[in-house]
Amino acid sequence: MSEKKLFFGGSVVGREGVERAEVLIEGERIVAVGPNLAASESDVQPVDVTGLTLLPGLIDVHVHLREPGGEHKENFYTGTCAALAGGVTTVLAMPNTNPPITDQHSLDDALNRANTHAVCDFGLYLGGTANNVEEVRSLADRAAGLKLYIGSSNGSLLVDQFPAQIQHFEQFPREAIIAVHAEDEAAVRYYASLGQRRPPICAALSVTHLITLAEQIGRRLHICHVSTGAEIALIRDAKRRGVQVTCEATPHHLFLSTEDEIELGAFGRVNPPLRTVDEVSTLWEQFDVIDMIATDHAPHTVEEKEGSTPPSGMPGLETMLPLLLTAYHDGRLTLPDIARVTSTRPAEVFGLEHKGEIAPGYTADLTLVDLAETWRIDNGALFTRCGWSPFDGKQVKGRIRQVYLRGELSFDQGKVIAAPGCGKNIKSSR
Ligand SMILES: [Zn+2]
């Protein structure tokens, strides 16, 4: 049987624009993109994608898959099924599991679990602590990066003291990624004592501090979930000065605000919190500073959210692309913008070779969408184990039809086809 497939009849989203083109793949790789490829190839399996638009498989650099320790909310199988359903072919999973991923033993265990159960490609972050500087440095080439919680969030990880911060910044390989949850812990606690949840100054203080560290030491820094105009201004200035800083924004900070929180209640509780309509507008106005969209997919069960001490976080893998495609229809983004922030830039920044573009030589991770379909997000149709979305009931335009992972059909018309274990560790070949 032929290993070559020819996708014909569709439109391909590239760096500069969208073109009617055929895509020829052989095994896991794209070998050609352009018109009339069929004529020269006789041993190809044709795949009719008439009416569909092909995006490079999405890369979500910030997800919480909850395994080990939180499998009642999500696990590597359900979380990566949610990824495929959302058009995401690669996820980078955060280390604030139970136990957290802070040493070789916990990394080996989590990698084993992911290798056995994941249906999309994955990488795992290491979690920094006050006393694992040497250990995580020695594991750097097996991980997607190092995550530092400068302010506390879910789980036990916290690096709010200067000695550990400077040591991680100095010793973790400079070409590798340090990703930070940037909220100033002292400020978070102070405002909590006043009954206020993490106002924007908490993030601005921490981003100022972290950019200074990165600039002084001369290392890379990735700032997670920016949610305020103040952070964007700081990052814009730092980039102009040549600081090696990148950032991500989440769909919930772009598509929800404090006004939605009134209705969502605890289901809208997240760190950093939802912001005012004005802050949300600023994020959209300064969109060019944002390197990538990452979901911060952080599932909790309905029971937990309805409990007396609801945890922070919300799922996002299945709704990111439909929301972005709706923003495209609304004229807020172009399709190349969407490919850039969901695939091309994440691949560049995190060094994911051969991913992030539909072009010869790249991996055949393809997300096929029907731009014209209008539908409603429905809690009942989700793959995430938590079974709810803050966007339940919202009408969106643009639907994910099929997803190919390294050349194999993995999600088709609402069904996950990929078998557990299909997903590969992005660091396994290093
Ligand atoms: Zn997170």
Side-chain angles (χ1 to χ4, degrees), residues 62-64 94 96 147 149 153-154 181 224-225 248 271 295-298:
H62 190 151
V63 303
H64 299 267
M94 287 296 170
N96 59 335
K147 176 72 179 285
Y149 286 85
S153 192
N154 289 298
H181 180 117
C224 297
H225 42 55
E248 70 192 34
N271 299 332
T295 60
D296 195 3
H297 176 84

Side-chain angles (χ1 to χ4, degrees), residues 41-95:
E41 300 284 342
S42 56
D43 58 338
V44 298
Q45 176 192 339
V47 182
D48 186 350
V49 293
T50 300
L52 299 181
T53 299
L54 282 67
L55 289 154
L58 277 66
I59 298 166
D60 187 349
V61 306
H62 190 151
V63 303
H64 299 267
L65 300 184
R66 303 303 190 204
E67 186 175 356
E71 291 91 337
H72 62 291
K73 313 180 204 253
E74 198 77 289
N75 59 45
F76 279 113
Y77 180 67
T78 58
T80 53
C81 283
L84 288 179
V88 175
T89 49
T90 303
V91 292
L92 303 184
M94 287 296 170

